Amino acid sequence: MAALVTAVLSLDATVVLLTPVVLASTARAGLRPRPQVYACGHLANSASLLLPVSNLTSLLAFASLGLSFTRFAELMALPWLAAIAVEYLVFRGFFRADLAVPAETAQLPARPRVPVFALVVLGLTLAGFAVTSLAGLNPAWAALAGSLVLAARALARRTATVRGVAASASPLFCLFVLALGVVVKAVTDHGLGSAIGRVLPAGSSLAALLAIAAAAALLANLINNLPAVLALLPAAVGSGPGPVLAVLIGVNLGPNLTYAGSLATLLWRRVLASHDEEPDLAQFTRLGLLTVPLTLLAATLGLWLMLRVTGI
């Protein structure tokens, strides 16, 4: 569920919407919540490889690639599956003691009503991503149309207010991202870009892709993944889609190593703290040391195979 929510609705939806649901569900079932909530935190990053709309870093990479929406998804499908599989296997071992505790018998709530309208709009919006891409338009137009339809219905039914809808667009966060982009652009133009260009290997060999992904993961943990992708993309674009997608693998998987690696991880930590489930730094770091190298290897190998199969 976390992987699908991340891929379709973006990593922020997994952190903000799914994590509290998982906390409530595990409490009702009498389960230890850490395996499930840590899965939400990890998959918010590692499951954001599949679609350009899954992560802001993916949107930035997509804009520089010149690939269609469907071709991007085709190339990243195997890396996405590989990263999820590794996460699952490592989590099964790392949290084996928590997972061995049986669930308590609990009174389940009545089955909720299926939100048909919202699901239909969501499905049409996803189809719109592919259609706009084929038509040469930015997928943001499809996202805007879907959000306007949902907002208009909520306002008409008086389940939302204009102020609430405006706040949900997070204008301050958008301003922060814009300012961050301006700062990184300035630093890149004044020496950082040329230095990165000299360090990153060229080509789409497996060794080169692994080195690029590792460098991107390291930089994401040092300066956050959004500045990292802005700094690395100019050096990677000239070598074709392979290096760009390897950068994306690094900046999306690497943040599972430290809290500062991505904004989503920081937000996930705040969500847990607000529910009195403050994550343990030592445990988070040990889990990251196990998953990040393995997911980087598996996802990059998957990317290399897809590039070979498709001939790109």
Side-chain angles (χ1 to χ4, degrees):
M1 180 63 72
L4 291 175
V5 170
T6 298
V8 175
L9 298 178
S10 88
L11 73 173
D12 294 321
T14 300
V15 171
V16 176
L17 300 179
L18 186 61
T19 300
V21 172
V22 167
L23 279 169
S25 300
T26 53
R28 183 181 294 118
L31 295 169
R32 293 183 180 179
R34 286 197 177 266
Q36 287 81 4
V37 296
Y38 272 70
C40 288
H42 266 236
L43 290 170
N45 291 313
S46 54
S48 64
L49 294 174
L50 182 62
L51 301 177
V53 296
S54 304
N55 197 331
L56 182 55
T57 56
S58 302
L59 278 174
L60 293 170
F62 178 69
S64 67
L65 278 171
L67 297 174
S68 68
F69 187 91
T70 51
R71 179 50 65 94
F72 181 99
E74 177 187 1
L75 290 174
M76 297 303 280
L78 187 57
W80 181 71
L81 291 171
I84 294 169
V86 170
E87 294 275 14
Y88 177 79
L89 293 174
V90 173
F91 267 63
R92 291 290 300 181
F94 189 86
F95 290 108
R96 58 187 178 276
D98 294 289
L99 295 171
V101 177
E104 298 176 359
T105 303
Q107 183 66 37
L108 295 178
R111 184 180 295 275
R113 182 176 58 86
V114 177
V116 177
F117 184 85
L119 291 176
V120 169
V121 173
L122 176 59
L124 292 175
T125 303
L126 291 174
F129 292 149
V131 172
T132 53
S133 180
L134 292 174
L137 300 174
N138 195 305
W141 292 111
L144 177 62
S147 62
L148 288 176
V149 170
L150 291 174
R153 185 170 189 263
L155 291 172
R157 292 164 62 94
R158 299 184 182 278
T159 57
T161 63
V162 174
R163 182 177 181 180
V165 171
S168 67
S170 301
L172 290 179
F173 176 75
C174 294
L175 182 61
F176 166 74
V177 173
L178 175 62
L180 191 59
V182 171
V183 171
V184 173
K185 176 65 174 174
V187 174
T188 301
D189 289 345
H190 288 80
L192 180 61
S194 58
I196 291 175
R198 290 192 298 269
V199 173
L200 285 186
S204 296
S205 66
L206 180 57
L209 295 177
L210 285 170
I212 293 171
L218 177 62
L219 192 61
N221 283 291
L222 292 176
I223 64 172
N224 188 265
N225 65 345
L226 188 56
V229 76
L230 291 171
L232 290 167
L233 280 180
V237 166
S239 301
V244 173
L245 294 176
V247 166
L248 194 57
I249 288 174
V251 298
N252 285 6
L253 301 183
N256 282 331
L257 185 59
T258 65
Y259 288 150
S262 74
L263 297 175
T265 305
L266 292 171
L267 185 57
W268 171 80
R269 184 185 177 192
R270 286 181 56 188
V271 169
L272 291 186
S274 67
H275 289 80
D276 298 322
E277 289 286 346
E278 181 73 31
D280 179 73
L281 176 59
Q283 188 176 52
F284 182 90
T285 304
R286 290 198 306 271
L287 186 58
L289 289 172
L290 289 173
T291 57
V292 170
L294 292 176
T295 53
L296 283 175
L297 177 61
T300 307
L301 179 59
L303 172 63
W304 177 75
L305 288 172
M306 290 305 301
L307 292 172
R308 297 273 299 225
V309 169
T310 58
I312 295 179

